[in-house]
């Protein structure tokens, strides 16, 4: 009997592979999308931190266009909806991502990756983390990243000319998430990206709430002293009460949540919606903060 048992256990092991192999699951890949004024090249530091802390992880740094120059320019001048479609195609065509992936979006890359989750559920996004994202758009353009003053001057000129003028909406990324609470009806009617992805149009897209609610976790990181995002509450999906630009409407009282237009309420009730705040200005956080609060908690499968 003992010999039979030993033989049986040897057979089982040969079928299953050794127990050591069983426990070594392939880590969930991570997709990164940079912010305004940055490029895929600027994501190498984050990629290194991920690879140092998650053994064998595959990282896909999103690059729009064929090179870093086009990628950087696309953060200012390109149709956002087209960029989302291009990224959906990239995700679908990357063989490493087919079983699902985690995603981190920085600044405007945050709301862009959320749009990917809402519009393109395959391959599935598992955990989405956004740093300083303008989920409710912006009403103000107070500061400019680093060396991008020339670009930012053009952005301001176009926004002053008219954020909702059709040709500006077509080409200017920042106009596509410009949210004017003083002209709320115009915003809802003319905004080609942020009003649409937040399901504020008269005709709602029911798939948005279904798809976003499939996330395992949605983590919204807000920067306590953010001087670039106005209002900074947009990073936690909050915005001005329509008709003025002073009082902020709490998320859980706003129509996007109450009517569950995009799945936030479903995520919240399931304990999958996480609001975090980190000390500092726009996109400022320490390496250790990222490791302790994001990688260890949400990315170690």
């Amino acid at each position: 009997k003992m010999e039979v048992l030993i033989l049986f256990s040897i057979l089982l092991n040969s079928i299953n592979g050794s127990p050591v192999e069983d426990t070594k699951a392939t880590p969930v890949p991570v997709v990164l999308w940079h912010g305004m004024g940055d490029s895929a090249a600027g994501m190498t530091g984050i990629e290194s931190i991920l690879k140092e802390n998650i053994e064998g992880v595959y990282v896909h740094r999103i690059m729009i266009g064929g090179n870093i120059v086009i990628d950087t320019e696309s953060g200012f001048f390109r149709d956002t909806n087209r960029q989302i479609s291009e990224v959906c195609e990239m995700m679908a065509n990357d063989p490493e991502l087919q079983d699902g992936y985690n995603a981190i979006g920085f600044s405007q890359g945050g709301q862009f990756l959320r749009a990917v989750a809402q519009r393109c559920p395959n391959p599935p996004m598992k955990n989405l983390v956004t740093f300083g994202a303008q989920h409710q758009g912006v009403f103000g353009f107070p500061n400019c990243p680093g060396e991008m003053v020339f670009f930012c001057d053009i952005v301001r000129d176009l926004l002053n000319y008219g954020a909702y003028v059709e040709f500006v909406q077509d080409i200017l990324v920042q106009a596509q998430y410009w949210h004017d609470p003083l002209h709320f009806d115009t915003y809802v009617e003319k905004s080609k990206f942020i009003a649409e992805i937040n399901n504020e149009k008269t005709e709602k897209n029911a798939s948005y709430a279904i798809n976003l609610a499939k996330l395992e976790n949605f983590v919204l990181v807000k920067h306590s002293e953010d001087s670039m995002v106005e209002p900074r509450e947009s990073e936690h999906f909050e915005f001005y009460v329509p008709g003025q630009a002073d009082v902020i409407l709490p998320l859980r009282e706003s129509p996007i949540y109450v009517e569950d237009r995009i799945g936030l309420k479903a995520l919240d009730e399931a304990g999958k919606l996480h609001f975090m705040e980190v000390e500092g200005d726009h996109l400022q956080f320490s390496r250790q903060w990222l490791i302790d609060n994001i990688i260890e908690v949400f990315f170690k499968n």
Side-chain angles (χ1 to χ4, degrees):
K1 269 186 179 174
M2 191 56 145
E3 285 168 355
V4 172
L5 277 174
I6 290 166
L7 190 65
F8 185 64
S9 72
I10 289 168
L11 274 172
L12 262 183
N13 267 347
S14 68
I15 294 163
N16 293 340
S18 71
V20 178
E21 283 170 8
D22 281 353
T23 55
K24 268 258 191 240
T26 310
V28 176
V30 183
V31 170
L32 305 174
W33 200 340
H34 62 82
M36 175 180 79
D38 203 352
S39 71
M43 292 287 99
T44 49
I46 300 292
E47 179 179 9
S48 302
I49 297 170
L50 287 163
K51 288 185 167 175
E52 284 161 23
N53 288 277
I54 310 167
E55 194 186 335
V57 74
Y58 170 80
V59 179
H60 179 125
R61 291 177 281 123
I62 289 170
M63 183 170 77
I64 300 292
N67 58 57
I68 296 303
V69 176
I70 296 172
D71 190 30
T72 306
E73 287 174 355
S74 297
F76 295 95
F77 311 112
R78 199 185 186 93
D79 175 19
T80 302
N81 290 310
R82 180 180 153 199
Q83 294 193 56
I84 306 301
S85 300
E86 288 168 359
V87 169
C88 285
E89 210 170 303
M90 270 180 223
M91 302 299 97
N93 291 335
D94 187 336
E96 299 286 341
L97 304 179
Q98 297 318 297
D99 292 333
Y101 60 95
N102 293 325
I104 312 179
F106 298 91
S107 197
Q108 65 188 24
Q111 63 262 33
F112 296 173
L113 275 170
R114 170 170 65 87
V116 171
Q118 288 176 215
R119 290 178 181 168
C120 308
N122 292 304
M125 193 183 290
K126 293 174 178 280
N127 295 290
L128 172 59
V129 180
T130 65
F131 281 90
Q134 303 90 24
H135 285 294
Q136 279 276 22
V138 294
F139 187 51
F141 196 71
N143 271 319
C144 186
E147 306 300 307
M148 292 290 153
V149 176
F150 172 70
F151 279 144
C152 290
D153 286 345
I154 300 172
V155 171
R156 285 202 182 92
D157 287 346
L158 286 168
L159 288 173
N160 288 335
Y161 179 77
Y164 302 122
V165 173
E166 189 154 4
F167 91 88
V168 179
Q169 274 292 310
D170 286 342
I171 61 156
L172 184 64
V173 169
Q174 289 68 36
Q176 291 156 29
Y177 58 82
W178 188 257
H179 184 166
D180 185 344
L182 306 178
H183 302 93
F184 186 72
D185 293 343
T186 309
Y187 153 71
V188 169
E189 184 194 342
K190 304 284 188 187
S191 169
K192 291 191 175 179
F193 175 68
I194 203 75
E196 201 283 327
I197 207 69
N198 285 351
N199 245 346
E200 295 191 89
K201 301 284 186 185
T202 316
E203 209 167 299
K204 308 288 183 232
N205 185 331
S207 69
Y208 285 175
I210 294 163
N211 291 339
L212 196 69
K214 288 176 182 169
L215 287 173
E216 290 172 17
N217 291 284
F218 185 7
V219 184
L220 301 143
V221 182
K222 175 179 158 189
H223 303 278
S224 64
E225 305 301 317
D226 201 313
S227 65
M228 254 171 85
V229 177
E230 205 171 280
R232 63 176 73 114
E233 287 82 2
S234 184
E235 298 170 19
H236 276 174
F237 262 105
E238 296 180 331
F239 209 71
Y240 301 117
V241 174
Q244 48 84 60
D246 185 33
V247 180
I248 298 284
L249 184 64
L251 172 61
R252 292 182 179 92
E253 292 171 29
S254 57
I256 197 170
Y257 183 94
V258 175
E259 297 171 18
D260 208 14
R261 291 176 178 175
I262 64 165
L264 293 175
K265 189 179 181 186
L267 284 168
D268 195 23
E269 288 175 349
K272 297 175 177 181
L273 190 63
H274 311 273
F275 300 96
M276 292 187 181
E277 189 162 324
V278 61
E279 288 295 313
D281 205 341
H282 193 60
L283 300 188
Q284 286 184 355
F285 54 89
S286 71
R287 171 197 183 88
Q288 203 54 48
W289 192 94
L290 178 68
I291 295 165
D292 294 344
N293 294 280
I294 303 301
I295 296 173
E296 290 295 335
V297 182
F298 299 103
F299 286 7
K300 289 281 185 86
N301 46 320

